[in-house]
Amino acid sequence: MKILLINGGKAFAHSGGELNNTLHAVALDTLKELGHEVRETVIEQGYEVATEVQNFLWADSIVYQMPGWWMGTPWTVKRYIDEVFTEGHGSLYASDGRTRQDPTKHYGSGGLLQGRHYMLSLTWNAPIEAFNEPDNFFEGRGVDGVYFPFHKSQEFIGLAAQPTFIANDVMKVPDVERDKAAYRTHLRRVFG
Ligand SMILES: Cc1cc2nc3c(=O)[nH]c(=O)nc-3n(C[C@H](O)[C@H](O)[C@H](O)COP(=O)(O)OP(=O)(O)OC[C@H]3O[C@@H](n4cnc5c(N)ncnc54)[C@H](O)[C@@H]3O)c2cc1C
């Protein structure tokens, strides 16, 4: 399988970006060990938008490695998506999917990457209970509920989700070896 790894780690304020770099490296090693062909983009090192469109056209699966910032995607990763997906009009997506005959239906069905996948690998300081418990901060919506607009942006270009990985408590109770081991297990289950 051809897999594009996107590292959205960034040093900013109290975030060092190192945990994301570490998990990105775990994915590189593990997926190569499993025999997959891997390309990587490290957003902080810069990228060519046209090359990224080609990477999306090349990949069977795209893995996004990123921290949770203010309840969602860091602006650098959002900018990457805005730039690359917009450039991909005509190759990543044909249109918004609607027809003039029935303009209220099928919005979001114009993606051209049908049959391909993406996966989120996330780092958050929040504990998992904040996502899953009905009486906790995210009202029981779960991690994928919190990332609903992000998931929809991927579906818009035709991609389908693979199971999300999240490392929790990464500042308050950091345990990098635990997170690395859990991510390796997750990758082997999804891509093995
Ligand atoms: C603007 C902003 C908004 C934020 N908003 C939220 C939010 O809404 N919700 C939330 O839960 N969190 C939030 N955070 C926290 C953020 O999610 C975490 O800081 C981030 O996930 C940590 O990832 P990192 O790669 O920056 O880790 P780092 O800060 O680099 O590392 C985290 C810990 O792991 C250790 N570590 C990392 N790599 C290694 C290694 N290889 N070996 C040994 N130890 C290592 C570090 O020493 C540190 O103790 C926010 C942070 C910022 C800056």
Side-chain angles (χ1 to χ4, degrees):
M1 190 184 277
K2 293 181 275 192
I3 303 174
L4 173 62
L5 298 178
I6 298 171
N7 182 358
K10 180 176 174 61
F12 178 73
H14 50 283
S15 272
E18 274 314 307
L19 180 58
N20 279 270
N21 291 340
T22 301
L23 295 178
H24 177 75
V26 166
L28 265 177
D29 290 348
T30 307
L31 294 172
K32 280 184 188 167
E33 272 167 33
L34 289 170
H36 297 298
E37 205 180 329
V38 177
R39 288 186 189 174
E40 63 170 324
T41 297
V42 180
I43 290 178
E44 278 303 280
Q45 291 176 1
Y47 52 86
E48 290 284 335
V49 173
T51 306
E52 293 310 302
V53 172
Q54 291 307 314
N55 283 338
F56 270 73
L57 293 171
W58 168 84
D60 299 307
S61 182
I62 295 115
V63 175
Y64 293 93
Q65 177 65 56
M66 57 184 164
W69 279 10
W70 287 111
M71 313 313 141
T73 308
W75 86 83
T76 46
V77 180
K78 180 64 168 67
R79 175 181 169 163
Y80 172 92
I81 287 169
D82 289 348
E83 290 176 340
V84 175
F85 286 20
T86 304
E87 174 80 7
H89 188 192
S91 58
L92 303 184
Y93 69 99
S95 67
D96 74 8
R98 296 180 294 166
T99 60
R100 298 215 182 278
Q101 287 73 31
D102 197 359
T104 66
K105 299 284 191 293
H106 306 301
Y107 175 77
S109 65
L112 295 172
L113 300 188
Q114 307 292 337
R116 307 193 199 190
H117 294 88
Y118 71 98
M119 195 194 92
L120 303 186
S121 174
L122 310 166
T123 64
W124 279 67
N125 190 41
I128 193 66
E129 291 81 1
F131 295 91
N132 293 342
E133 292 179 351
D135 59 351
N136 216 314
F137 189 68
F138 291 114
E139 305 168 15
R141 287 160 204 257
V143 176
D144 292 310
V146 172
Y147 278 84
F148 186 70
F150 192 95
H151 283 304
K152 284 293 164 186
S153 72
Q154 308 302 301
E155 187 180 336
F156 195 92
I157 64 167
L159 298 173
Q162 288 167 304
T164 299
F165 175 79
I166 184 166
N168 295 98
D169 269 323
V170 302
M171 292 168 68
K172 214 176 185 76
V173 199
D175 185 343
V176 176
E177 292 310 315
R178 171 204 61 194
D179 294 340
K180 286 165 67 177
Y183 191 35
R184 263 189 225 106
T185 301
H186 182 92
L187 288 165
R188 287 186 184 130
R189 200 166 51 233
V190 174
F191 294 103

mmCIF file of all heavy atoms in Angstrom, residues 44-85:
data_model
loop_
_atom_site.group_PDB
_atom_site.id
_atom_site.type_symbol
_atom_site.label_atom_id
_atom_site.label_comp_id
_atom_site.label_asym_id
_atom_site.label_seq_id
_atom_site.Cartn_x
_atom_site.Cartn_y
_atom_site.Cartn_z
ATOM 1 N N GLU A 44 5.946 21.866 8.792
ATOM 2 C CA GLU A 44 6.818 22.940 9.275
ATOM 3 C C GLU A 44 8.089 23.108 8.432
ATOM 4 O O GLU A 44 8.742 24.141 8.495
ATOM 5 C CB GLU A 44 7.204 22.692 10.746
ATOM 6 C CG GLU A 44 6.138 23.138 11.713
ATOM 7 C CD GLU A 44 5.784 24.616 11.564
ATOM 8 O OE1 GLU A 44 6.512 25.463 12.076
ATOM 9 O OE2 GLU A 44 4.764 24.913 10.903
ATOM 10 N N GLN A 45 8.416 22.095 7.648
ATOM 11 C CA GLN A 45 9.607 22.218 6.787
ATOM 12 C C GLN A 45 9.264 22.803 5.427
ATOM 13 O O GLN A 45 10.143 22.967 4.577
ATOM 14 C CB GLN A 45 10.278 20.850 6.620
ATOM 15 C CG GLN A 45 10.914 20.359 7.923
ATOM 16 C CD GLN A 45 11.494 18.955 7.803
ATOM 17 O OE1 GLN A 45 11.445 18.328 6.737
ATOM 18 N NE2 GLN A 45 12.034 18.460 8.901
ATOM 19 N N GLY A 46 7.980 23.093 5.212
ATOM 20 C CA GLY A 46 7.558 23.682 3.944
ATOM 21 C C GLY A 46 7.164 22.608 2.940
ATOM 22 O O GLY A 46 7.556 21.448 3.074
ATOM 23 N N TYR A 47 6.386 23.023 1.943
ATOM 24 C CA TYR A 47 5.902 22.066 0.938
ATOM 25 C C TYR A 47 5.492 22.831 -0.308
ATOM 26 O O TYR A 47 5.194 24.023 -0.253
ATOM 27 C CB TYR A 47 4.699 21.276 1.489
ATOM 28 C CG TYR A 47 3.600 22.154 2.059
ATOM 29 C CD1 TYR A 47 2.596 22.679 1.247
ATOM 30 C CD2 TYR A 47 3.590 22.506 3.413
ATOM 31 C CE1 TYR A 47 1.612 23.505 1.762
ATOM 32 C CE2 TYR A 47 2.612 23.332 3.931
ATOM 33 C CZ TYR A 47 1.624 23.830 3.111
ATOM 34 O OH TYR A 47 0.662 24.660 3.617
ATOM 35 N N GLU A 48 5.494 22.106 -1.431
ATOM 36 C CA GLU A 48 4.994 22.637 -2.694
ATOM 37 C C GLU A 48 3.555 22.177 -2.835
ATOM 38 O O GLU A 48 3.295 20.957 -2.801
ATOM 39 C CB GLU A 48 5.806 22.076 -3.868
ATOM 40 C CG GLU A 48 7.217 22.585 -3.967
ATOM 41 C CD GLU A 48 7.260 24.000 -4.507
ATOM 42 O OE1 GLU A 48 6.299 24.382 -5.212
ATOM 43 O OE2 GLU A 48 8.229 24.711 -4.213
ATOM 44 N N VAL A 49 2.640 23.100 -3.017
ATOM 45 C CA VAL A 49 1.224 22.739 -3.061
ATOM 46 C C VAL A 49 0.952 21.740 -4.194
ATOM 47 O O VAL A 49 0.267 20.729 -3.997
ATOM 48 C CB VAL A 49 0.353 24.009 -3.202
ATOM 49 C CG1 VAL A 49 -1.106 23.645 -3.422
ATOM 50 C CG2 VAL A 49 0.502 24.880 -1.952
ATOM 51 N N ALA A 50 1.513 21.987 -5.377
ATOM 52 C CA ALA A 50 1.267 21.093 -6.521
ATOM 53 C C ALA A 50 1.810 19.691 -6.252
ATOM 54 O O ALA A 50 1.199 18.690 -6.632
ATOM 55 C CB ALA A 50 1.894 21.668 -7.784
ATOM 56 N N THR A 51 2.954 19.610 -5.556
ATOM 57 C CA THR A 51 3.518 18.302 -5.206
ATOM 58 C C THR A 51 2.616 17.569 -4.231
ATOM 59 O O THR A 51 2.441 16.345 -4.312
ATOM 60 C CB THR A 51 4.924 18.485 -4.575
ATOM 61 O OG1 THR A 51 5.708 19.255 -5.467
ATOM 62 C CG2 THR A 51 5.606 17.166 -4.293
ATOM 63 N N GLU A 52 2.041 18.327 -3.313
ATOM 64 C CA GLU A 52 1.132 17.692 -2.339
ATOM 65 C C GLU A 52 -0.107 17.129 -3.030
ATOM 66 O O GLU A 52 -0.590 16.050 -2.669
ATOM 67 C CB GLU A 52 0.738 18.682 -1.241
ATOM 68 C CG GLU A 52 1.895 19.092 -0.352
ATOM 69 C CD GLU A 52 2.675 17.894 0.171
ATOM 70 O OE1 GLU A 52 2.097 17.023 0.838
ATOM 71 O OE2 GLU A 52 3.890 17.814 -0.110
ATOM 72 N N VAL A 53 -0.629 17.828 -4.024
ATOM 73 C CA VAL A 53 -1.772 17.285 -4.780
ATOM 74 C C VAL A 53 -1.358 15.955 -5.412
ATOM 75 O O VAL A 53 -2.094 14.962 -5.344
ATOM 76 C CB VAL A 53 -2.258 18.285 -5.851
ATOM 77 C CG1 VAL A 53 -3.301 17.641 -6.761
ATOM 78 C CG2 VAL A 53 -2.834 19.535 -5.192
ATOM 79 N N GLN A 54 -0.164 15.915 -5.993
ATOM 80 C CA GLN A 54 0.326 14.662 -6.595
ATOM 81 C C GLN A 54 0.466 13.569 -5.529
ATOM 82 O O GLN A 54 0.172 12.404 -5.788
ATOM 83 C CB GLN A 54 1.667 14.889 -7.308
ATOM 84 C CG GLN A 54 1.570 15.741 -8.556
ATOM 85 C CD GLN A 54 0.519 15.216 -9.541
ATOM 86 O OE1 GLN A 54 0.453 14.013 -9.822
ATOM 87 N NE2 GLN A 54 -0.336 16.108 -10.040
ATOM 88 N N ASN A 55 0.911 13.952 -4.327
ATOM 89 C CA ASN A 55 1.031 12.965 -3.243
ATOM 90 C C ASN A 55 -0.333 12.387 -2.880
ATOM 91 O O ASN A 55 -0.455 11.187 -2.617
ATOM 92 C CB ASN A 55 1.677 13.608 -2.004
ATOM 93 C CG ASN A 55 3.175 13.759 -2.149
ATOM 94 O OD1 ASN A 55 3.804 13.057 -2.944
ATOM 95 N ND2 ASN A 55 3.763 14.686 -1.398
ATOM 96 N N PHE A 56 -1.347 13.233 -2.856
ATOM 97 C CA PHE A 56 -2.702 12.744 -2.564
ATOM 98 C C PHE A 56 -3.182 11.802 -3.675
ATOM 99 O O PHE A 56 -3.844 10.802 -3.402
ATOM 100 C CB PHE A 56 -3.687 13.917 -2.393
ATOM 101 C CG PHE A 56 -3.795 14.395 -0.971
ATOM 102 C CD1 PHE A 56 -2.769 15.118 -0.386
ATOM 103 C CD2 PHE A 56 -4.915 14.107 -0.205
ATOM 104 C CE1 PHE A 56 -2.841 15.543 0.930
ATOM 105 C CE2 PHE A 56 -5.013 14.530 1.116
ATOM 106 C CZ PHE A 56 -3.975 15.253 1.684
ATOM 107 N N LEU A 57 -2.849 12.137 -4.928
ATOM 108 C CA LEU A 57 -3.270 11.270 -6.042
ATOM 109 C C LEU A 57 -2.527 9.938 -6.013
ATOM 110 O O LEU A 57 -3.048 8.918 -6.450
ATOM 111 C CB LEU A 57 -3.028 11.986 -7.379
ATOM 112 C CG LEU A 57 -3.902 13.227 -7.616
ATOM 113 C CD1 LEU A 57 -3.436 13.982 -8.844
ATOM 114 C CD2 LEU A 57 -5.375 12.831 -7.748
ATOM 115 N N TRP A 58 -1.310 9.955 -5.463
ATOM 116 C CA TRP A 58 -0.470 8.752 -5.382
ATOM 117 C C TRP A 58 -0.924 7.805 -4.264
ATOM 118 O O TRP A 58 -0.906 6.586 -4.424
ATOM 119 C CB TRP A 58 0.974 9.207 -5.144
ATOM 120 C CG TRP A 58 1.952 8.144 -4.758
ATOM 121 C CD1 TRP A 58 2.638 7.308 -5.592
ATOM 122 C CD2 TRP A 58 2.358 7.804 -3.418
ATOM 123 N NE1 TRP A 58 3.448 6.479 -4.859
ATOM 124 C CE2 TRP A 58 3.304 6.768 -3.529
ATOM 125 C CE3 TRP A 58 2.030 8.293 -2.145
ATOM 126 C CZ2 TRP A 58 3.915 6.191 -2.422
ATOM 127 C CZ3 TRP A 58 2.634 7.715 -1.038
ATOM 128 C CH2 TRP A 58 3.561 6.683 -1.184
ATOM 129 N N ALA A 59 -1.385 8.368 -3.145
ATOM 130 C CA ALA A 59 -1.558 7.590 -1.913
ATOM 131 C C ALA A 59 -2.847 6.771 -1.893
ATOM 132 O O ALA A 59 -3.892 7.214 -2.361
ATOM 133 C CB ALA A 59 -1.553 8.537 -0.708
ATOM 134 N N ASP A 60 -2.730 5.561 -1.304
ATOM 135 C CA ASP A 60 -3.927 4.776 -0.971
ATOM 136 C C ASP A 60 -4.493 5.238 0.370
ATOM 137 O O ASP A 60 -5.677 5.085 0.631
ATOM 138 C CB ASP A 60 -3.580 3.290 -0.866
ATOM 139 C CG ASP A 60 -3.047 2.742 -2.183
ATOM 140 O OD1 ASP A 60 -3.725 2.925 -3.206
ATOM 141 O OD2 ASP A 60 -1.941 2.164 -2.185
ATOM 142 N N SER A 61 -3.601 5.748 1.229
ATOM 143 C CA SER A 61 -4.049 6.234 2.534
ATOM 144 C C SER A 61 -3.170 7.406 2.962
ATOM 145 O O SER A 61 -1.974 7.445 2.655
ATOM 146 C CB SER A 61 -3.972 5.115 3.579
ATOM 147 O OG SER A 61 -4.449 5.598 4.823
ATOM 148 N N ILE A 62 -3.779 8.345 3.669
ATOM 149 C CA ILE A 62 -3.073 9.535 4.168
ATOM 150 C C ILE A 62 -3.210 9.546 5.688
ATOM 151 O O ILE A 62 -4.323 9.410 6.209
ATOM 152 C CB ILE A 62 -3.685 10.819 3.568
ATOM 153 C CG1 ILE A 62 -3.467 10.833 2.054
ATOM 154 C CG2 ILE A 62 -3.074 12.062 4.195
ATOM 155 C CD1 ILE A 62 -4.702 10.748 1.251
ATOM 156 N N VAL A 63 -2.096 9.686 6.385
ATOM 157 C CA VAL A 63 -2.118 9.731 7.852
ATOM 158 C C VAL A 63 -1.775 11.154 8.287
ATOM 159 O O VAL A 63 -0.716 11.684 7.928
ATOM 160 C CB VAL A 63 -1.099 8.729 8.454
ATOM 161 C CG1 VAL A 63 -1.048 8.869 9.973
ATOM 162 C CG2 VAL A 63 -1.460 7.296 8.061
ATOM 163 N N TYR A 64 -2.678 11.757 9.039
ATOM 164 C CA TYR A 64 -2.453 13.100 9.583
ATOM 165 C C TYR A 64 -2.002 12.975 11.032
ATOM 166 O O TYR A 64 -2.752 12.485 11.879
ATOM 167 C CB TYR A 64 -3.743 13.920 9.580
ATOM 168 C CG TYR A 64 -4.285 14.287 8.228
ATOM 169 C CD1 TYR A 64 -5.233 13.488 7.599
ATOM 170 C CD2 TYR A 64 -3.883 15.457 7.594
ATOM 171 C CE1 TYR A 64 -5.757 13.838 6.366
ATOM 172 C CE2 TYR A 64 -4.403 15.822 6.360
ATOM 173 C CZ TYR A 64 -5.340 15.004 5.756
ATOM 174 O OH TYR A 64 -5.870 15.359 4.532
ATOM 175 N N GLN A 65 -0.779 13.417 11.326
ATOM 176 C CA GLN A 65 -0.278 13.475 12.698
ATOM 177 C C GLN A 65 -0.365 14.917 13.170
ATOM 178 O O GLN A 65 0.263 15.800 12.559
ATOM 179 C CB GLN A 65 1.180 12.988 12.734
ATOM 180 C CG GLN A 65 1.829 13.075 14.114
ATOM 181 C CD GLN A 65 1.134 12.140 15.094
ATOM 182 O OE1 GLN A 65 1.025 10.952 14.853
ATOM 183 N NE2 GLN A 65 0.659 12.692 16.197
ATOM 184 N N MET A 66 -1.126 15.177 14.235
ATOM 185 C CA MET A 66 -1.246 16.587 14.669
ATOM 186 C C MET A 66 -1.726 16.703 16.115
ATOM 187 O O MET A 66 -2.436 15.822 16.619
ATOM 188 C CB MET A 66 -2.183 17.351 13.748
ATOM 189 C CG MET A 66 -3.569 16.777 13.639
ATOM 190 S SD MET A 66 -4.537 17.698 12.417
ATOM 191 C CE MET A 66 -5.876 16.534 12.152
ATOM 192 N N PRO A 67 -1.368 17.815 16.766
ATOM 193 C CA PRO A 67 -1.859 18.068 18.116
ATOM 194 C C PRO A 67 -3.244 18.700 18.079
ATOM 195 O O PRO A 67 -3.630 19.314 17.075
ATOM 196 C CB PRO A 67 -0.836 19.069 18.676
ATOM 197 C CG PRO A 67 -0.358 19.823 17.481
ATOM 198 C CD PRO A 67 -0.405 18.841 16.325
ATOM 199 N N GLY A 68 -3.996 18.550 19.181
ATOM 200 C CA GLY A 68 -5.245 19.294 19.339
ATOM 201 C C GLY A 68 -4.935 20.689 19.852
ATOM 202 O O GLY A 68 -4.299 20.847 20.894
ATOM 203 N N TRP A 69 -5.345 21.679 19.101
ATOM 204 C CA TRP A 69 -5.150 23.080 19.508
ATOM 205 C C TRP A 69 -6.512 23.768 19.526
ATOM 206 O O TRP A 69 -7.204 23.803 18.490
ATOM 207 C CB TRP A 69 -4.238 23.802 18.507
ATOM 208 C CG TRP A 69 -2.770 23.523 18.735
ATOM 209 C CD1 TRP A 69 -2.202 22.592 19.557
ATOM 210 C CD2 TRP A 69 -1.673 24.209 18.117
ATOM 211 N NE1 TRP A 69 -0.829 22.648 19.481
ATOM 212 C CE2 TRP A 69 -0.484 23.640 18.604
ATOM 213 C CE3 TRP A 69 -1.580 25.241 17.186
ATOM 214 C CZ2 TRP A 69 0.787 24.075 18.199
ATOM 215 C CZ3 TRP A 69 -0.330 25.673 16.780
ATOM 216 C CH2 TRP A 69 0.836 25.094 17.292
ATOM 217 N N TRP A 70 -6.856 24.333 20.640
ATOM 218 C CA TRP A 70 -8.137 25.029 20.779
ATOM 219 C C TRP A 70 -9.280 24.210 20.172
ATOM 220 O O TRP A 70 -10.002 24.664 19.305
ATOM 221 C CB TRP A 70 -8.068 26.465 20.253
ATOM 222 C CG TRP A 70 -7.281 27.300 21.202
ATOM 223 C CD1 TRP A 70 -6.059 27.855 21.022
ATOM 224 C CD2 TRP A 70 -7.665 27.616 22.551
ATOM 225 N NE1 TRP A 70 -5.628 28.487 22.165
ATOM 226 C CE2 TRP A 70 -6.605 28.352 23.131
ATOM 227 C CE3 TRP A 70 -8.774 27.331 23.347
ATOM 228 C CZ2 TRP A 70 -6.637 28.813 24.442
ATOM 229 C CZ3 TRP A 70 -8.807 27.794 24.658
ATOM 230 C CH2 TRP A 70 -7.749 28.536 25.183
ATOM 231 N N MET A 71 -9.332 22.981 20.670
ATOM 232 C CA MET A 71 -10.438 22.051 20.377
ATOM 233 C C MET A 71 -10.427 21.520 18.946
ATOM 234 O O MET A 71 -11.424 20.982 18.474
ATOM 235 C CB MET A 71 -11.832 22.641 20.688
ATOM 236 C CG MET A 71 -11.945 23.308 22.032
ATOM 237 S SD MET A 71 -11.244 22.296 23.351
ATOM 238 C CE MET A 71 -10.452 23.564 24.349
ATOM 239 N N GLY A 72 -9.310 21.645 18.256
ATOM 240 C CA GLY A 72 -9.313 21.105 16.898
ATOM 241 C C GLY A 72 -7.963 21.193 16.215
ATOM 242 O O GLY A 72 -6.901 21.089 16.850
ATOM 243 N N THR A 73 -8.019 21.407 14.916
ATOM 244 C CA THR A 73 -6.854 21.339 14.032
ATOM 245 C C THR A 73 -5.974 22.586 14.152
ATOM 246 O O THR A 73 -6.497 23.702 14.086
ATOM 247 C CB THR A 73 -7.363 21.235 12.570
ATOM 248 O OG1 THR A 73 -8.298 20.156 12.499
ATOM 249 C CG2 THR A 73 -6.240 21.006 11.586
ATOM 250 N N PRO A 74 -4.655 22.445 14.296
ATOM 251 C CA PRO A 74 -3.771 23.625 14.292
ATOM 252 C C PRO A 74 -3.896 24.396 12.971
ATOM 253 O O PRO A 74 -4.145 23.796 11.922
ATOM 254 C CB PRO A 74 -2.367 23.021 14.410
ATOM 255 C CG PRO A 74 -2.566 21.652 14.931
ATOM 256 C CD PRO A 74 -3.904 21.196 14.456
ATOM 257 N N TRP A 75 -3.691 25.715 13.050
ATOM 258 C CA TRP A 75 -3.905 26.520 11.850
ATOM 259 C C TRP A 75 -2.971 26.131 10.717
ATOM 260 O O TRP A 75 -3.312 26.270 9.543
ATOM 261 C CB TRP A 75 -3.791 28.012 12.184
ATOM 262 C CG TRP A 75 -2.394 28.583 12.155
ATOM 263 C CD1 TRP A 75 -1.702 29.016 11.065
ATOM 264 C CD2 TRP A 75 -1.521 28.776 13.286
ATOM 265 N NE1 TRP A 75 -0.447 29.471 11.452
ATOM 266 C CE2 TRP A 75 -0.324 29.339 12.790
ATOM 267 C CE3 TRP A 75 -1.643 28.547 14.659
ATOM 268 C CZ2 TRP A 75 0.748 29.659 13.638
ATOM 269 C CZ3 TRP A 75 -0.578 28.873 15.498
ATOM 270 C CH2 TRP A 75 0.597 29.413 14.980
ATOM 271 N N THR A 76 -1.816 25.611 11.038
ATOM 272 C CA THR A 76 -0.863 25.248 9.986
ATOM 273 C C THR A 76 -1.390 24.069 9.157
ATOM 274 O O THR A 76 -1.177 24.007 7.946
ATOM 275 C CB THR A 76 0.491 24.880 10.612
ATOM 276 O OG1 THR A 76 0.255 24.003 11.726
ATOM 277 C CG2 THR A 76 1.223 26.108 11.106
ATOM 278 N N VAL A 77 -2.064 23.142 9.839
ATOM 279 C CA VAL A 77 -2.628 21.982 9.127
ATOM 280 C C VAL A 77 -3.871 22.420 8.352
ATOM 281 O O VAL A 77 -4.093 21.989 7.220
ATOM 282 C CB VAL A 77 -2.946 20.842 10.118
ATOM 283 C CG1 VAL A 77 -3.534 19.640 9.377
ATOM 284 C CG2 VAL A 77 -1.689 20.432 10.886
ATOM 285 N N LYS A 78 -4.662 23.307 8.960
ATOM 286 C CA LYS A 78 -5.843 23.822 8.250
ATOM 287 C C LYS A 78 -5.405 24.588 6.991
ATOM 288 O O LYS A 78 -6.003 24.442 5.923
ATOM 289 C CB LYS A 78 -6.646 24.730 9.195
ATOM 290 C CG LYS A 78 -7.900 25.337 8.585
ATOM 291 C CD LYS A 78 -8.918 24.257 8.217
ATOM 292 C CE LYS A 78 -10.286 24.824 7.883
ATOM 293 N NZ LYS A 78 -10.304 25.611 6.653
ATOM 294 N N ARG A 79 -4.349 25.353 7.117
ATOM 295 C CA ARG A 79 -3.836 26.095 5.961
ATOM 296 C C ARG A 79 -3.381 25.128 4.858
ATOM 297 O O ARG A 79 -3.659 25.343 3.670
ATOM 298 C CB ARG A 79 -2.675 26.989 6.399
ATOM 299 C CG ARG A 79 -2.010 27.701 5.257
ATOM 300 C CD ARG A 79 -0.861 28.559 5.734
ATOM 301 N NE ARG A 79 -0.095 29.009 4.586
ATOM 302 C CZ ARG A 79 0.755 30.010 4.616
ATOM 303 N NH1 ARG A 79 0.972 30.668 5.730
ATOM 304 N NH2 ARG A 79 1.412 30.350 3.537
ATOM 305 N N TYR A 80 -2.672 24.066 5.272
ATOM 306 C CA TYR A 80 -2.223 23.047 4.316
ATOM 307 C C TYR A 80 -3.431 22.496 3.553
ATOM 308 O O TYR A 80 -3.410 22.391 2.321
ATOM 309 C CB TYR A 80 -1.491 21.939 5.096
ATOM 310 C CG TYR A 80 -1.131 20.714 4.286
ATOM 311 C CD1 TYR A 80 0.108 20.613 3.657
ATOM 312 C CD2 TYR A 80 -2.026 19.646 4.169
ATOM 313 C CE1 TYR A 80 0.437 19.479 2.920
ATOM 314 C CE2 TYR A 80 -1.700 18.517 3.438
ATOM 315 C CZ TYR A 80 -0.466 18.445 2.819
ATOM 316 O OH TYR A 80 -0.153 17.318 2.088
ATOM 317 N N ILE A 81 -4.487 22.150 4.279
ATOM 318 C CA ILE A 81 -5.682 21.591 3.630
ATOM 319 C C ILE A 81 -6.326 22.638 2.715
ATOM 320 O O ILE A 81 -6.697 22.334 1.569
ATOM 321 C CB ILE A 81 -6.663 21.068 4.689
ATOM 322 C CG1 ILE A 81 -6.089 19.780 5.282
ATOM 323 C CG2 ILE A 81 -8.056 20.829 4.106
ATOM 324 C CD1 ILE A 81 -6.795 19.296 6.500
ATOM 325 N N ASP A 82 -6.448 23.863 3.203
ATOM 326 C CA ASP A 82 -7.039 24.920 2.364
ATOM 327 C C ASP A 82 -6.247 25.066 1.058
ATOM 328 O O ASP A 82 -6.829 25.173 -0.022
ATOM 329 C CB ASP A 82 -7.049 26.261 3.106
ATOM 330 C CG ASP A 82 -8.063 26.284 4.248
ATOM 331 O OD1 ASP A 82 -8.897 25.364 4.327
ATOM 332 O OD2 ASP A 82 -8.000 27.222 5.060
ATOM 333 N N GLU A 83 -4.938 25.068 1.171
ATOM 334 C CA GLU A 83 -4.107 25.274 -0.021
ATOM 335 C C GLU A 83 -4.137 24.061 -0.965
ATOM 336 O O GLU A 83 -4.325 24.210 -2.173
ATOM 337 C CB GLU A 83 -2.654 25.563 0.401
ATOM 338 C CG GLU A 83 -2.498 26.915 1.064
ATOM 339 C CD GLU A 83 -1.096 27.184 1.569
ATOM 340 O OE1 GLU A 83 -0.310 26.229 1.764
ATOM 341 O OE2 GLU A 83 -0.785 28.365 1.798
ATOM 342 N N VAL A 84 -3.957 22.874 -0.388
ATOM 343 C CA VAL A 84 -3.809 21.679 -1.231
ATOM 344 C C VAL A 84 -5.151 21.265 -1.834
ATOM 345 O O VAL A 84 -5.237 20.978 -3.035
ATOM 346 C CB VAL A 84 -3.171 20.520 -0.415
ATOM 347 C CG1 VAL A 84 -3.130 19.235 -1.229
ATOM 348 C CG2 VAL A 84 -1.773 20.918 0.049
ATOM 349 N N PHE A 85 -6.212 21.273 -1.027
ATOM 350 C CA PHE A 85 -7.511 20.834 -1.548
ATOM 351 C C PHE A 85 -8.030 21.839 -2.582
ATOM 352 O O PHE A 85 -8.642 21.448 -3.579
ATOM 353 C CB PHE A 85 -8.528 20.651 -0.414
ATOM 354 C CG PHE A 85 -8.307 19.410 0.437
ATOM 355 C CD1 PHE A 85 -7.086 18.756 0.468
ATOM 356 C CD2 PHE A 85 -9.341 18.899 1.222
ATOM 357 C CE1 PHE A 85 -6.881 17.624 1.257
ATOM 358 C CE2 PHE A 85 -9.152 17.762 2.004
ATOM 359 C CZ PHE A 85 -7.924 17.130 2.029
#
